[in-house]
Amino acid sequence: MLPDPVLFERAATLLRAGELVAFPTETVYGLGADARNPAAVARIFAAKGRPASHPLIVHVRDLAAASEWAATVPEAARRLAATFWPGPLTLVLPRARAVPDAVTGGQPTVALRAPAHPVAQALLAAFGGGIAAPSANRYGHISPTRAAHVVAELGDRVALILDGGDCPIGLESTIVGCTEQGLTLLRPGGIPASRIAAVAGPLVAPGAAVPRVPGSERAHYAPRTPMQLVDPGRLPGAAGMALAEGERIAVLAWSPPPPDAAGCVWRQLGPEPESYARQLYATLRELDEARVTRILVEQVPEAEPWAAIADRLRRAAAGSGMALPDAP
Ligand code: TXA
Ligand code: MG
C-alpha cells in the first residue's frame, strides 16, 4: 500500500528545505537528503553519528538521471543498469564535478542506485533530483527494514518517515565498482556476483586500485547483544553447554530446532536464502531486545545465494556486544 500522494509532496518540500526524510527501498530503509545540498547531507552524518569520510549512495530514478552524477558511464555499467535497474544494485562510477564532496567523502567516485520500490520511485519523482541516502540506522547498527525500526534508530532526528511496510529484500544492495581497472564486487547483496559477471564480464579481485568502501569495516550491522557464529554440527552442543551454565540464549538458525532445544529462544529463518534475508534484520532486532546473554547463529551454507547473508552475519558477529558511540 502506498502512502497518501500528499505525503510525497510534503516529503519533497522537506527535502528542498534541507530536511531529512526516511523512505523504504526494496533493500532497507534509507535516510534521505537533497544530494546537491551539502548542509542537508551534513545532517545525515550528524543524525547517524557516521564519520564524514564514509561516502553516501545517491538515489536516482534511472540511468538518464544517473548520468548527471557521473563523469562517464562505462559500457559495462550501462549494461548492468539496463539489466538490473531499477533494483538492488549500486554502481560506483567516476564522479561528475558537481557532486558535493560531502556525498563522496572526497573520493573521485560516486555511488549511484535506482531503487525499484514504488515509494522510493514516487519520492524521487516528486522531488525531481538525486537523494543521498545511507541506511536509516545509527552508525554500525542493524539496518532498518520497517518504519518502526527507523523510529527506534533515529526518532525525531528525521523530519518525516514514509512507511512502505516491510522491505521485500531485506539486505543492502550489491555494490559494484566500475573503473578502468574493471568491475569489482565491493559489497555482496541481493544480486549474486555470477549474474553481474554474466551481464558485464568477469569481476576483478579487489586490490589497491579499486575504490575504497569505507562502510565495509569488519564490524558492522551489529546487535548490542554478543553474537557468535557456530557450525551447524556444533550448534546443539554449544546451545546445551550455554544453557547448562545458566545462560539465557537465543539461536538464529536456518535449520529446524533439534528436540532438545527447549530452553532457548529458537528462530528459524530458512531454509530459503530469500526468506532468510527478508527476516534477518528484524529478527536480530527482536533477539537483541529479548534480554538474552548471547545470540548463537548457525553458520549458513557456503553457496552463492547465501553469500550476502554470510557477509552480514560475519560483520554483525564482529561488531556485536560493542557499546555504540552517541552522536555529538
Ligand atoms: O541498499 C542499499 O544500498 C541502502 C539503500 C538505502 O539504498 N543503502 C545503503 O547505504 O546501504 P549505506 O550508506 O549504509 O552503505 C553504502 C556503502 C557504504 O559502505 C559506503 O562507504 C559505500 O557504499 N560507498 C558509497 N559511496 C562510495 C564510493 N564512492 N566508493 C566506494 N564506496 C562507496
Ligand atoms: Mg548502512
Side-chain angles (χ1 to χ4, degrees):
M1 200 185 64
L2 282 188
D4 190 326
V6 173
L7 268 183
F8 290 108
E9 280 316 313
R10 191 168 139 58
T13 304
L14 287 167
L15 289 173
R16 283 181 206 115
E19 301 279 349
L20 302 183
V21 172
F23 61 97
T25 79
E26 66 276 29
T27 59
V28 301
Y29 274 74
L31 176 64
D34 177 356
R36 293 257 187 238
N37 179 345
V41 171
R43 294 176 104 156
I44 292 180
F45 290 92
K48 281 187 63 108
R50 167 158 159 153
S53 59
H54 289 203
L56 304 176
I57 298 172
V58 178
H59 295 70
V60 292
R61 292 186 76 179
D62 50 26
L63 182 57
S67 308
E68 293 171 26
W69 297 87
T72 57
V73 183
E75 178 53 29
R78 246 171 240 290
R79 252 183 278 147
L80 289 174
T83 308
F84 297 113
W85 278 4
L89 174 69
T90 296
L91 298 173
V92 174
L93 302 174
R95 70 188 273 192
R97 216 173 297 148
V99 186
D101 282 341
V103 169
T104 66
Q107 301 204 65
T109 52
V110 62
L112 298 165
R113 167 169 181 234
H117 198 291
V119 172
Q121 277 289 335
L123 177 64
L124 285 163
F127 178 57
I131 300 178
S135 50
N137 52 277
R138 301 274 298 158
Y139 178 62
H141 199 211
I142 304 166
S143 296
T145 54
R146 62 178 67 133
H149 299 164
V150 182
V151 176
E153 290 285 324
L154 299 168
D156 56 10
R157 290 185 174 99
V158 47
L160 178 70
I161 301 172
L162 294 172
D163 188 347
D166 286 8
C167 298
I169 293 178
L171 287 188
E172 301 80 359
S173 60
T174 303
I175 304 182
V176 176
C178 309
T179 65
E180 279 148 22
Q181 283 78 37
L183 299 179
T184 316
L185 184 69
L186 298 176
R187 179 174 72 184
I191 300 174
S194 63
R195 289 191 65 204
I196 303 284
V199 168
L203 296 160
V204 299
V210 306
R212 267 181 329 122
V213 186
S216 63
E217 280 79 18
R218 212 166 59 83
H220 220 84
Y221 312 101
R224 293 174 173 88
T225 309
M227 170 177 155
Q228 201 180 335
L229 303 183
V230 184
D231 281 341
R234 293 189 39 239
L235 190 56
M241 206 185 312
L243 289 173
E245 283 166 15
E247 276 197 66
R248 235 182 91 72
I249 58 160
V251 177
L252 185 67
W254 54 277
S255 50
D260 56 359
C264 45
V265 182
W266 191 285
R267 289 285 176 278
Q268 188 200 346
L269 304 185
E272 300 303 328
E274 290 78 18
S275 66
Y276 189 113
R278 199 179 311 123
Q279 302 171 79
L280 173 60
Y281 288 154
T283 307
L284 278 180
R285 273 173 197 278
E286 180 206 331
L287 296 180
D288 211 10
E289 301 296 315
R291 294 212 249 121
V292 294
T293 47
R294 228 171 349 144
I295 303 170
L296 299 181
V297 180
E298 179 181 21
Q299 290 272 24
V300 296
E302 274 185 42
E304 189 176 53
W306 293 90
I309 294 169
D311 171 75
R312 302 308 190 276
L313 289 177
R314 253 192 320 272
R315 293 178 203 284
S320 70
M322 295 193 318
L324 290 166
D326 261 358

